[in-house]
Amino acid sequence: MGERKVTVAAEVGLHARPAATFVKRAQLAPMDISVAKAGGGGAPVNGKSILAIMALDVRQGETVVISAEGDGSEEILDELATIAGAP
């Protein structure tokens, strides 16, 4: 299973527009994608669900762990990490 740890840089955190962009890209992936706050911030949530991502309440400066497994997962994880880490 591949994973990426990303510090969220956007002022609004992983909410609203950044979350929508993240989920739209994740939904195109053929595999399951999970997102969790780093450091034991709760159970991983479905990375393809806007409500689940919003419920994580990820704020600017917090780190998330994005996980996926399957063919092409490394490329998708790179793209999602770029989206989550964008200012």
Side-chain angles (χ1 to χ4, degrees):
M1 177 176 283
E3 70 176 33
R4 300 289 184 279
K5 288 186 180 180
V6 182
T7 301
V8 175
E11 286 185 27
V12 295
L14 197 52
H15 294 279
R17 186 167 290 146
T21 303
F22 183 96
V23 169
K24 282 181 184 178
R25 177 59 190 104
Q27 288 175 340
L28 297 175
M31 74 282 299
D32 290 337
I33 296 171
S34 63
V35 181
K37 281 189 176 181
V45 300
N46 180 356
K48 296 181 179 186
S49 167
I50 187 77
L51 293 177
I53 297 295
M54 299 283 286
L56 278 177
D57 193 30
V58 178
R59 298 170 188 257
Q60 183 181 30
E62 292 185 321
T63 301
V64 294
V65 179
I66 309 164
S67 304
E69 184 174 1
D71 290 339
S73 63
E74 293 299 320
E75 293 82 14
I76 291 165
L77 286 170
D78 288 342
E79 290 180 39
L80 294 174
T82 299
I83 293 167

